[in-house]
Amino acid sequence: MHPFVLFGKEHITALGIIILLTAFLPFLVRKYCSEKNEYYIRLLLGALIWGQEIALNVYRFIYNEWYFSNSLPFHLCGFAVLLLPVMLYKKKYNLYEILYFWGLAGATQALLTPNIDVGFPHFRFIQFFISHGLIVFTVVYATVVWNYLPTLRSLYKTSVLTLFLLIPIGLINKITHGNYFFIAYKPETASVLDYFGPWPWYILPMIGMGVVMFLVVYSPVGLRKKRSQSVSTDNK
């Protein structure tokens, strides 16, 4: 099995498929689906998200690759996989406003610099892009179909929660000898953390990068609200 190549043909193809599906399908659902059918789509999405995670764990058990150090859902994307189906089923805004940032910032970063070492058609390659692609797709789906939008308070809440999680995650890493949140050491595959110096000094710029990413994914919402306020003022 050949190794994964960062921004190679297979990587670019996977990103292209995710972008196309995310750019068009939510708008089609919003325009053409009844409320009843949209409910079934939500259930299907939730089943796919949890189903692929179950498949990953079954794969790891079969091939003796399941370890407490790397198989628990204690990365941001892992938390998103656990919570997104709940958000879909209940249409919970308080979950959406957190998952918006974890999904668009965390999963997008993971898609751009995947922590995998095998290429297509290996199961881990396919599962990785399905998993993280579904995270991004579901956040965009909720934004487009339900007209949900995060607020500045959502940005603040998610930033504080994410920083707070570093403490228990650090303890979990100590107990399991894991590297959840990548705060024990850098990923073995290429990532932007390679430019941030040695441990533990890279953790501070990593936190800063996280805040910047949250601001970046919030910026379209902020610009939209600012434009709406400007139009409302002009019409008075």
Side-chain angles (χ1 to χ4, degrees):
M1 183 62 64
H2 62 278
F4 174 79
V5 178
L6 186 66
F7 296 117
K9 181 179 179 181
E10 294 171 352
H11 187 192
I12 296 297
T13 300
L15 291 177
I17 292 172
I18 292 169
I19 291 170
L20 285 174
L21 293 176
T22 304
F24 291 104
L25 284 186
F27 291 96
L28 293 177
V29 171
R30 176 178 177 176
K31 185 172 182 179
Y32 295 109
C33 280
S34 64
E35 184 175 340
K36 181 179 179 180
N37 288 336
E38 192 273 328
Y39 172 73
Y40 291 135
I41 290 173
R42 284 191 275 134
L43 293 185
L44 176 61
L45 270 177
L48 287 173
I49 293 169
W50 276 352
Q52 63 79 32
E53 188 68 13
I54 292 170
L56 171 62
N57 282 276
V58 169
Y59 171 89
R60 284 174 167 166
F61 272 115
I62 291 174
Y63 290 94
N64 296 317
E65 295 180 2
W66 200 99
Y67 303 102
F68 284 105
S69 60
N70 66 1
S71 301
L72 298 173
F74 291 148
H75 287 292
L76 284 185
C77 292
F79 289 133
V81 165
L82 291 178
L83 296 174
L84 279 170
V86 180
M87 182 201 77
L88 285 165
Y89 180 65
K90 297 288 188 178
K91 292 183 71 172
K92 282 185 169 292
Y93 177 80
N94 60 343
L95 287 179
Y96 164 84
E97 61 179 340
I98 295 171
L99 293 170
Y100 176 92
F101 294 98
W102 286 358
L104 294 189
T108 299
Q109 181 63 36
L111 287 167
L112 292 175
T113 56
N115 187 29
I116 53 175
D117 56 5
V118 289
F120 182 85
H122 195 281
F123 170 81
R124 284 292 289 113
F125 177 96
I126 296 171
Q127 182 276 330
F128 182 93
F129 284 99
I130 288 177
S131 174
H132 292 83
L134 280 171
I135 293 172
V136 174
F137 178 89
T138 304
V139 170
V140 174
Y141 178 94
T143 304
V144 171
V145 178
W146 304 342
N147 288 317
Y148 282 0
L149 287 174
T151 63
L152 279 173
R153 183 175 179 274
S154 305
L155 172 62
Y156 173 77
K157 180 195 299 186
T158 307
S159 299
V160 171
L161 174 61
T162 306
L163 287 173
F164 175 78
L165 284 173
L166 293 176
I167 299 172
I169 292 298
L171 293 175
I172 291 170
N173 284 338
K174 188 75 172 178
I175 295 169
T176 64
H177 304 287
N179 190 27
Y180 299 107
F181 274 42
F182 300 116
I183 56 175
Y185 51 86
K186 298 178 184 179
E188 295 179 357
T189 53
S191 75
V192 69
L193 300 185
D194 294 335
Y195 300 98
F196 290 168
W199 186 91
W201 307 114
Y202 75 85
I203 295 176
L204 288 177
M206 182 179 73
I207 292 172
M209 183 186 71
V211 173
V212 170
M213 288 293 293
F214 283 180
L215 289 170
V216 168
V217 298
Y218 179 76
S219 60
V221 178
L223 290 173
R224 176 179 173 179
K225 290 181 178 180
K226 185 175 181 180
R227 187 176 302 166
S228 298
Q229 292 171 355
S230 177
V231 170
S232 177
T233 303
D234 292 342
N235 289 336
K236 287 183 179 180

